Amino acid sequence: MNFLIYGLGSIGRRHAGILSEKEGNKIYACRSGKSVSNMPEKFPFTEIDPSDNLADYEIDGALITNPTSLHVESALRIAEYGIPMFIEKPLGKDLNDIKRLQDITEKKNIPVLMGYNFLHHSGIKLIKKLIKENKIGKVISAKSQFGTYMPDWHKNEDYKKSYASNADMGGGVVLTSIHEQNYLTDFFGEVKEVKAMKTGGNVLGIKAEEGAEILMRHEDGTVSNIHLNFYQKPYYRNCQVIGTEGTIYWDFLFPEVKILYKDKTEIIKTGRGAFELLDESYALQMHHFTEVIKGNTKPAADLNRGIKDLETALEILKQIN
């Protein structure tokens, strides 16, 4: 299969590396050359000009992995050719041209997969399964936390120059770390009400929000709480779901999910190691994308999901700013 990657920053290289491992896959790339990363690519690819006629390359699927502010513009370009596409989360930094993209993809029946790799993570998938099986009774509330120290993300890069550090490029903790909002919505349904406050102030000196506390009421009545920040040491990511009969607890750093009851605790192993499971989630996501391209399955998170998540995130940003 032939794949086109729009943007070869760290996430673009990760996806391209996975796809290049399958024999017969060919990688084309459009890039600005302005990435703050100086890491060499570890896979073969052919660079093409963004103005080229993409029909000449017989592209089977396109991946949009450039800065968030360029996602929709790039997607519209891909949509001209009717090419199935993968759009890294979030969909964009605002709603400009979103309706146009939606209309074109629906008219041409172009499948779109949003890049929420945690939907393919064994821990998150197990939590969803346990909720559906009523393992903790009726769910009342949930809490997810993600804390990371941004300067440690990529040691060879100036973090203040990255898109995640600049609101104008679609950065900031709310959009960059939209995974928690997405999977909680996947668990409990659409967000019907949201409240949010900014935290952190200006710890890192970036041009975007560094932290947020978010409350969401979902359509099934569950109230979820999300804490996000870019200034925490050490790295921390977890999810807690509280029900009438017990509590489900997952910590990203441990390959297991716990079910805590009044008199006992069940521990379900999900794999060998935290970062192996993370790598697996990305690999499963790319496999899923190839199956979407072939028409064998529907996107786990389609364009409409990306739009609704973005609308909620923009309401959060409106409240904290």
Side-chain angles (χ1 to χ4, degrees), residues 202-225:
N202 193 29
V203 178
L204 301 176
I206 63 175
K207 297 177 181 178
E209 80 285 349
E210 300 175 349
E213 290 285 352
I214 304 161
L215 278 174
M216 304 189 300
R217 186 181 300 278
H218 299 267
E219 62 183 349
D220 73 349
T222 301
V223 173
S224 64
N225 167 223

Side-chain angles (χ1 to χ4, degrees), residues 202-302:
N202 193 29
V203 178
L204 301 176
I206 63 175
K207 297 177 181 178
E209 80 285 349
E210 300 175 349
E213 290 285 352
I214 304 161
L215 278 174
M216 304 189 300
R217 186 181 300 278
H218 299 267
E219 62 183 349
D220 73 349
T222 301
V223 173
S224 64
N225 167 223
I226 304 173
H227 171 84
L228 303 173
N229 77 72
F230 278 162
Y231 47 76
Q232 184 169 349
K233 306 175 201 175
Y235 179 98
Y236 200 66
R237 187 168 226 152
N238 65 19
C239 178
Q240 178 178 266
V241 182
I242 302 169
T244 55
E245 303 300 325
T247 299
I248 298 169
Y249 182 78
W250 168 75
D251 186 324
F252 171 86
L253 294 176
F254 297 91
E256 62 188 28
V257 172
K258 295 180 180 180
I259 311 175
L260 296 90
Y261 298 107
K262 180 180 179 181
D263 300 317
K264 65 176 182 177
T265 297
E266 294 181 17
I267 299 176
I268 305 173
K269 295 294 183 180
T270 56
R272 290 181 296 172
F275 291 96
E276 289 174 336
L277 292 178
L278 181 64
D279 290 343
E280 179 187 69
S281 73
Y282 283 111
L284 289 172
Q285 181 177 238
M286 285 299 99
H287 174 73
H288 178 63
F289 181 44
T290 61
E291 291 300 297
V292 169
I293 292 171
K294 294 174 183 177
N296 294 336
T297 190
K298 298 291 185 182
D302 61 13

Side-chain angles (χ1 to χ4, degrees), residues 143-214:
K143 182 174 183 177
S144 291
Q145 179 174 337
F146 173 59
T148 180
Y149 188 58
M150 178 185 272
D152 286 346
W153 283 8
H154 305 291
K155 294 291 189 178
N156 60 309
E157 301 175 8
D158 181 351
Y159 73 91
K160 291 184 180 180
K161 294 181 180 179
S162 71
Y163 81 88
S165 296
N166 293 275
D168 288 345
M169 298 174 70
V173 74
V174 172
L175 288 175
T176 304
S177 307
I178 201 171
H179 287 295
E180 278 67 24
Q181 178 195 317
N182 169 258
Y183 74 64
L184 288 169
T185 301
D186 189 51
F187 291 167
F188 309 121
E190 299 300 337
V191 176
K192 296 302 182 181
E193 183 181 6
V194 63
K195 300 292 182 183
M197 295 180 66
K198 184 188 294 187
T199 68
N202 193 29
V203 178
L204 301 176
I206 63 175
K207 297 177 181 178
E209 80 285 349
E210 300 175 349
E213 290 285 352
I214 304 161

